[in-house]
């Protein structure tokens, strides 16, 4: 293989690999906030997993964002308005509730309850 052929092969591989990355134009849950304020903090970040703690005071939400595959746990529940690809709904999320998604998803949430709600989000890398 000559230099020109090797260059073209490397270029094609680079283009191919870059197209495999997540092309979501939305922020992830750590980048997303509410009215310019951070909602989530990193508790753990390693090669396989990122753990976030997200806190929502009454009237505070989380701008539209995406999640990779994840598992969540409600430390302190509350009442939320959730908007996603299925529409808008209001839900009461109980303390101790566990949830998971096995695909990339996106949504926006707003705490419409009277208490501060706290979640752990564990995202697989």
């Amino acid at each position: 293989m000559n230099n020109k052929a090797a260059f073209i092969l490397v270029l094609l591989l680079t283009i191919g690999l870059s197209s495999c990355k997540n092309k979501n134009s939305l922020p992830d849950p750590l980048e997303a906030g509410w009215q310019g304020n951070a909602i989530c903090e990193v508790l753990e970040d390693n090669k396989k997993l990122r753990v976030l703690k997200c806190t929502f005071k009454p009237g505070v939400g989380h701008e539209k964002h995406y999640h990779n595959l994840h598992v969540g746990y409600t430390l302190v529940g509350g009442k939320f308005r959730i908007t996603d690809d299925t529409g808008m709904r209001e839900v009461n999320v109980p303390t101790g509730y566990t949830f998971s998604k096995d695909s990339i998803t996106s949504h926006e949430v707003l705490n419409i309850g009277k208490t501060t709600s706290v979640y752990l989000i564990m995202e697989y890398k």
Side-chain angles (χ1 to χ4, degrees):
M1 179 181 296
N2 63 33
N3 287 343
K4 185 175 180 180
F7 173 78
I8 291 171
L9 181 60
V10 168
L11 181 62
L12 290 173
L13 282 171
T14 302
I15 292 169
L17 289 174
S18 67
S19 69
C20 294
K21 294 179 183 175
N22 183 2
K23 292 187 176 188
N24 205 316
S25 62
L26 296 172
D28 73 13
L30 182 61
E31 297 167 331
W34 186 255
Q35 299 175 343
N37 296 310
I39 300 301
C40 300
E41 62 181 292
V42 177
L43 298 181
E44 175 69 32
D45 194 359
N46 60 48
K47 292 179 184 179
K48 295 183 180 183
L49 186 70
R50 180 173 73 172
V51 180
L52 302 175
K53 179 181 176 186
C54 304
T55 304
F56 302 90
K57 294 180 180 179
V60 172
H62 209 181
E63 67 189 29
K64 191 169 185 179
H65 60 283
Y66 79 91
H67 284 277
N68 288 322
L69 284 63
H70 65 280
V71 174
Y73 181 78
T74 307
L75 293 171
V76 180
K79 185 173 184 176
F80 281 81
R81 180 176 302 129
I82 301 172
T83 305
D84 60 18
D85 60 351
T86 65
M88 184 185 299
R89 63 194 179 282
E90 293 182 3
V91 296
N92 287 306
V93 184
T95 297
Y97 179 71
T98 301
F99 53 94
S100 64
K101 294 288 183 175
D102 59 0
S103 62
I104 296 175
T105 60
S106 63
H107 63 243
E108 180 176 311
V109 300
L110 175 63
N111 182 349
I112 58 174
K114 296 180 180 179
T115 60
T116 298
S117 190
V118 184
Y119 296 82
L120 291 179
I121 305 291
M122 294 143 280
E123 294 184 312
Y124 303 104
K125 292 186 177 179

